[in-house]
Amino acid sequence: MKVAVIGTGAVGGYYGGLICRSGVETHFLLHSDFDHVKEHGLVIDSKDGDFTLPEVNAYDRPEDMPECDVVLVGLKATANHVLPDILPHVIRDDGIIVLLQNGIGVEDRIHGIVPGATIIGGLCFLCSNKIGPGYIRHLDFGAVRLAQHRNDNTAAGITSKLETIAQMFEQAGISVMLAEHLVVARWQKLVWNMAYNGTCVVLAATTDQLMADVSAVALVRGIMEEVVEGARVCGYPLEEGFIDVMLEATKKMVAYSPSMKLDFEAGRPLEVEEIYRTPIAMARNAGFYMVRAEAVAMQLEFLDRRNRSSA
């Protein structure tokens, strides 16, 4: 099996590095740190054990990469506009694309690029940052929930291709959970992402700071309740007690700046469309208004425009 990694950052670099270390032939597409990685390889500091890949298959042009059986997309969803120029070069016609991205609706946009490919959503429960060229720091968690995409957004079930990808991840030491319905899994992840990603930006706080303040916890819980109700009115009810599970898990996390906060601090575009605007619109079309989430989204849009105009 040959694997391509598109986006060798905090997510793609970490999971791709583990898969490469396990012995799978892995090819990495890089941008700004291509020369560094080509010369020095990848370094991953991890709570589960540090390791270095001194030599990796590194490329700065997709045209130079071999066709692969599996493509891991670790790019931010804000960069998906570049995928039509990348994916056709790196994936076999009947290959598998694993989208390691936040938000909802991202798989629908990929299908038209490579219609013969199988698309799997990968929801990463990971605290990881890219702290330098070819240098990833894994802080906490690391599991991935995988679910296969269907064009009609119904449940695909546990397919043989889904099990193939799960086996590859598990052999690399990555904890895997399989889900029968991708859209339900996406809404579940949004419960955390919509509550914490934008709030950490707007309040300039880390997750532990939010969880230590009664008002911030009330805001976070209120947003979570909106997401759960949004999922329900859209036809994807989540299990009872899911909010409490998310809050308890966050209390136990290390002090963490979510990816959107790091993007904001670095002057990069924010994933407001995928994490906020799309689910807000889905819920509104079903008759429910996510007023707290809408307020956070508008603040994020203002901060994003101001941040990038002054960069």
Side-chain angles (χ1 to χ4, degrees):
M1 183 180 289
K2 293 181 182 178
V3 173
V5 178
I6 311 302
T8 309
V11 174
Y14 174 68
Y15 290 118
L18 287 172
I19 289 168
C20 183
R21 185 180 65 167
S22 73
V24 176
E25 182 180 331
T26 310
H27 302 266
F28 296 86
L29 181 65
L30 299 116
H31 181 49
S32 59
D33 50 358
F34 165 73
D35 291 330
H36 181 92
V37 172
K38 188 73 174 175
E39 182 175 354
H40 302 287
L42 281 173
V43 176
I44 298 177
D45 290 348
S46 171
K47 73 175 188 67
D48 299 322
D50 303 342
F51 66 95
T52 299
L53 301 172
E55 294 183 8
V56 299
N57 299 313
Y59 307 83
D60 61 351
R61 289 167 20 104
E63 298 89 341
D64 297 333
M65 300 177 73
E67 284 192 344
C68 293
D69 307 283
V70 178
V71 177
L72 306 183
V73 178
L75 295 173
K76 292 294 177 65
T78 52
N80 279 359
H81 62 277
V82 305
L83 290 178
D85 295 325
I86 296 175
L87 290 176
H89 295 288
V90 300
I91 190 166
R92 286 175 30 193
D93 291 341
D94 60 346
I96 301 173
I97 298 171
V98 184
L99 283 177
L100 302 172
Q101 295 185 330
N102 286 322
I104 198 165
V106 288
E107 289 83 9
D108 295 328
R109 300 163 195 165
I110 303 303
H111 173 71
I113 302 174
V114 278
T118 297
I119 302 174
I120 290 174
L123 293 83
C124 306
F125 298 87
L126 173 71
C127 296
S128 179
N129 299 323
K130 181 179 176 182
I131 60 174
Y135 192 176
I136 312 300
R137 177 167 291 159
H138 169 220
L139 301 170
D140 208 350
F141 299 102
V144 178
R145 176 172 291 169
L146 300 171
Q148 188 162 321
H149 171 70
R150 289 190 61 169
N151 294 334
D152 60 2
N153 287 326
T154 58
I158 308 302
T159 66
S160 60
K161 290 188 176 181
L162 192 62
E163 290 177 331
T164 296
I165 298 301
Q167 183 180 34
M168 181 182 72
F169 274 64
E170 288 170 342
Q171 288 177 346
I174 302 164
S175 177
V176 174
M177 302 165 283
L178 299 183
E180 296 189 353
H181 201 310
L182 176 59
V183 182
V184 172
R186 286 284 183 197
W187 275 105
Q188 288 173 330
K189 184 72 186 297
L190 284 170
V191 173
W192 196 94
N193 275 337
M194 294 183 75
Y196 287 101
N197 261 286
T199 309
C200 284
V201 174
V202 171
L203 298 182
T206 52
T207 53
D208 62 310
Q209 291 171 327
L210 295 185
M211 298 308 294
D213 183 87
V214 62
S215 297
V217 170
L219 174 60
V220 164
R221 179 181 283 276
I223 295 172
M224 287 184 169
E225 290 171 349
E226 287 187 348
V227 181
V228 169
E229 180 62 14
R232 187 192 69 79
V233 299
C234 289
Y236 308 108
L238 307 185
E239 60 265 31
E240 191 76 21
F242 189 73
I243 289 175
D244 290 328
V245 171
M246 291 290 98
L247 290 172
E248 284 302 312
T250 308
K251 284 181 184 178
K252 298 174 183 177
M253 283 171 51
V254 298
Y256 185 59
S257 291
S259 60
M260 187 174 284
K261 185 172 185 289
L262 296 177
D263 287 339
F264 178 74
E265 291 169 351
R268 294 187 291 263
L270 304 184
E271 295 175 297
V272 180
E273 183 67 28
E274 294 77 14
I275 296 178
Y276 287 90
R277 283 300 175 195
T278 298
I280 287 171
M282 290 171 65
R284 184 173 61 247
N285 291 339
F288 177 66
Y289 291 79
M290 301 170 68
V291 292
R292 293 182 182 87
E294 174 79 31
V296 172
M298 287 189 289
Q299 291 175 81
L300 289 172
E301 288 163 344
F302 167 79
L303 291 170
D304 187 33
R305 285 190 289 266
R306 186 179 68 178
N307 195 35
R308 289 195 282 153
S309 67
S310 62

